[in-house]
Amino acid sequence: MALRFLIDSANVHDWAELWPLGLFQGITTNPTLLRRAGLPCTVETLADLTDQALKFGCQELHLQAWGSSSEELLSHARALLALAPEHIVIKLPLIEGGLRAAAVLIASGVRVTLTACYAPSQALAAAGLGATYVAPYLGRISDSGVDGRAEVIRMQRCLDGVGTTTRLLVASLRSLEDILTLAPLGVDTYTLSPSLARQIWTHPLTEQAASQFAADTVLT
């Protein structure tokens, strides 16, 4: 599988800065990211964001359905999917209602990300269901007192062991070291906050060298 980076933001200004770099294969959002961007969690808001994402050329936009029951989750999921069926991946929480809604969607050929994964058994549940992605919250796993990196590695080994096509989409990354630890072990798909994304290609010595190159081109 190829390395995949997705932008984790509901802020169009972040998209405008990062997408043209060509490093990213998609964009992920959720109700919390909408709140941080000062946006209401409504189908109308997400319709506008979908239009913006498609203008940037985004081919894979993860939008999260919401609701207190599987019926509400499924209703919102269908409304979101209708915005751009070929480009949208529906995100659902890894709870019973989310699984029920996901089962209906997956049976009809919809790509689904099961999100808020905290344990390897949940990753296997997502694989058993046939989800396209399952998203472990690495940083939050560590916050709970468990080694987040180790748990994500266990998840990847479980998925590799059963030969599923379900991919880990690692979220809640706190540092570049998280990626550098996981990537050599076959974890290849990450959703990155804008601040963390910028760390991938930046290094003070590279900046220094580039400045020197620029200075050396000036004729004196």
Side-chain angles (χ1 to χ4, degrees):
M1 292 185 178
L3 177 67
R4 295 176 64 79
F5 290 133
L6 289 81
I7 301 170
D8 198 31
S9 173
N11 190 320
V12 175
H13 296 294
D14 293 330
W15 302 355
E17 289 184 4
L18 294 171
W19 191 264
L21 294 170
L23 292 175
F24 303 95
Q25 288 71 49
I27 295 170
T28 65
T29 68
N30 62 41
T32 301
L33 292 174
L34 289 170
R35 177 181 55 78
R36 290 176 184 170
L39 300 171
C41 184
T42 64
V43 174
E44 291 75 20
T45 295
L46 291 166
D48 182 60
L49 289 178
T50 298
D51 288 342
Q52 296 287 343
L54 295 181
K55 287 177 183 177
F56 286 120
C58 178
Q59 297 297 305
E60 186 172 299
L61 177 63
H62 294 233
L63 301 181
Q64 186 161 331
W66 62 96
S68 58
S69 67
S70 59
E71 291 78 14
E72 286 183 322
L73 288 167
L74 191 56
S75 175
H76 284 126
R78 286 171 169 158
L80 296 175
L81 187 66
L83 300 175
E86 295 182 1
H87 301 288
I88 288 175
V89 179
I90 296 297
K91 295 175 69 174
L92 293 162
L94 227 166
I95 57 175
E96 184 171 328
L99 294 178
R100 291 180 185 275
V104 174
L105 294 170
I106 292 168
S108 61
V110 176
R111 292 177 296 170
V112 168
T113 295
L114 286 169
T115 192
C117 176
Y118 282 81
S121 60
Q122 292 179 302
L124 287 174
L129 198 58
T132 303
Y133 297 100
V134 57
Y137 284 180
L138 189 157
R140 296 186 188 181
I141 293 171
S142 296
D143 291 344
S144 73
V146 179
D147 185 333
R149 293 175 186 171
E151 284 298 274
V152 169
I153 291 167
R154 288 180 67 201
M155 293 177 196
Q156 185 65 56
R157 288 175 176 166
C158 285
L159 297 184
D160 290 343
V162 298
T164 181
T165 59
T166 300
R167 300 177 73 148
L168 286 187
L169 173 56
V170 185
S172 185
L173 294 156
R174 301 286 173 78
S175 72
L176 191 57
E177 193 62 32
D178 289 332
I179 301 172
L180 298 178
T181 299
L182 297 174
L185 299 172
V187 183
D188 60 10
T189 307
Y190 305 88
T191 182
L192 308 176
S193 67
S195 60
L196 182 57
R198 294 183 181 95
Q199 294 179 36
I200 292 174
W201 70 85
T202 57
H203 193 285
L205 293 179
T206 304
E207 299 295 327
Q208 180 181 329
S211 296
Q212 186 63 54
F213 296 151
D216 289 341
T217 63
V218 179
L219 297 178
T220 58

